[in-house]
Amino acid sequence: MQRIPILQMGACLLVTIQVDLQDQVALALQDDLAAKIETTGARGVLIDISALEIVDSFIGRMLAGISGIARVLDATTVVVGMQPAVAITLVELGLTLDGVRTALNVERGMHLLRAAHAEIAPHDDAD
Amino acid sequence: MQRIPILQMGACLLVTIQVDLQDQVALALQDDLAAKIETTGARGVLIDISALEIVDSFIGRMLAGISGIARVLDATTVVVGMQPAVAITLVELGLTLDGVRTALNVERGMHLLRAAHAEIAPHDDAD
């Protein structure tokens, strides 16, 4: 089964979603991310969805789920890179991604995370 | 056709390869990356292959090709996250990834790029 890699950059984790998120892949991502937050002590999670041309209610729930899991593990999640057409469709569908923070791109998302957590130094490689 | 997203982080570009690299996808990635280096003036390219369980001669050539294109556009490419089993197979096959720099993970790769280019400040979001 395909697993989505989780990259560590200092106190941040970065996930780029490129494949269709079927149930198993999405569940595995939630599990992997929770485990990685625990082992690394990450304070921020960036999820890049710039490759996704469709964000439906399933993906919306999955993003909200990840965001909620990260929150109870004391990490902030920011979804970045949403295509304009996806944003339009989301609003038309009445999906508001409640509880999910968004930013235009990775850099803006990183800014947001830094503002939220002092541990996420400008120095990304705090190793 | 699937396109692999290219994330910008300051003067670095980050590509996470998760899907099987067929010819068209690999060619599109080379094109996109060359265009992105031009438009962003990026000095470093990180290619994460931690999701790849097989690196054959085609992928090896593709990585060398991207590395060469980036070089003439004045950017350094570092391939990161290779699985141990992949490294073993590569050497057994006699594929040495000539001209491709590698690092253990994204953070080490970022260190390498910073050592090579002063523009790639510890401050990744030099925007």
Side-chain angles (χ1 to χ4, degrees):
Chain A
M1 191 194 66
Q2 174 114 34
R3 290 188 102 87
I4 297 175
I6 300 166
L7 308 182
Q8 186 184 3
M9 295 187 300
C12 276
L13 302 177
L14 175 65
V15 179
T16 315
I17 296 178
Q18 298 174 19
V19 292
D20 279 341
L21 280 173
Q22 281 131 14
D23 297 28
Q24 289 306 312
V25 178
L27 284 176
L29 178 61
Q30 285 191 346
D31 288 355
D32 292 350
L33 209 45
K36 194 96 174 181
I37 291 172
E38 199 221 340
T39 53
T40 62
R43 301 302 308 273
V45 177
L46 285 169
I47 302 180
D48 176 81
I49 59 167
S50 58
L52 294 187
E53 287 173 3
I54 295 167
V55 173
D56 55 14
S57 61
F58 171 70
I59 295 179
R61 270 200 310 278
M62 194 274 300
L63 292 174
I66 285 177
S67 196
I69 293 167
R71 194 177 306 119
V72 292
L73 293 171
D74 201 17
T76 306
T77 305
V78 182
V79 172
V80 301
M82 189 185 292
Q83 294 183 16
V86 169
I88 292 168
T89 312
L90 269 184
V91 172
E92 283 176 353
L93 289 175
L95 297 171
T96 50
L97 294 186
D98 278 336
V100 179
R101 300 182 79 168
T102 52
L104 187 65
N105 53 36
V106 174
E107 295 190 331
R108 299 265 189 101
M110 200 70 96
H111 268 293
L112 238 170
L113 290 176
R114 274 178 201 144
H117 300 288
E119 295 92 328
I120 304 174
H123 220 286
D124 266 335
D125 54 340
D127 49 346
Chain B
M1 192 194 67
Q2 174 114 35
R3 291 188 100 88
I4 297 174
I6 300 167
L7 308 182
Q8 186 183 3
M9 294 187 299
C12 275
L13 301 177
L14 174 65
V15 179
T16 315
I17 295 178
Q18 298 175 19
V19 293
D20 279 342
L21 282 172
Q22 280 131 14
D23 297 28
Q24 289 305 314
V25 179
L27 284 176
L29 177 62
Q30 286 191 345
D31 288 356
D32 292 350
L33 209 44
K36 194 96 174 181
I37 292 172
E38 201 221 339
T39 54
T40 62
R43 301 302 310 274
V45 178
L46 285 170
I47 301 180
D48 176 80
I49 58 168
S50 58
L52 294 187
E53 287 175 2
I54 295 166
V55 172
D56 55 14
S57 61
F58 171 71
I59 296 179
R61 270 201 310 278
M62 194 273 301
L63 293 174
I66 285 177
S67 196
I69 292 168
R71 194 178 305 118
V72 292
L73 293 171
D74 202 17
T76 306
T77 305
V78 181
V79 172
V80 302
M82 189 184 292
Q83 293 184 16
V86 169
I88 292 168
T89 312
L90 270 184
V91 171
E92 283 176 354
L93 289 175
L95 297 171
T96 50
L97 293 187
D98 277 337
V100 179
R101 300 180 81 169
T102 52
L104 187 65
N105 54 35
V106 174
E107 294 191 330
R108 299 266 188 102
M110 200 70 98
H111 267 295
L112 239 169
L113 289 177
R114 274 178 201 145
H117 301 285
E119 294 93 330
I120 305 175
H123 222 284
D124 266 336
D125 55 339
D127 49 345

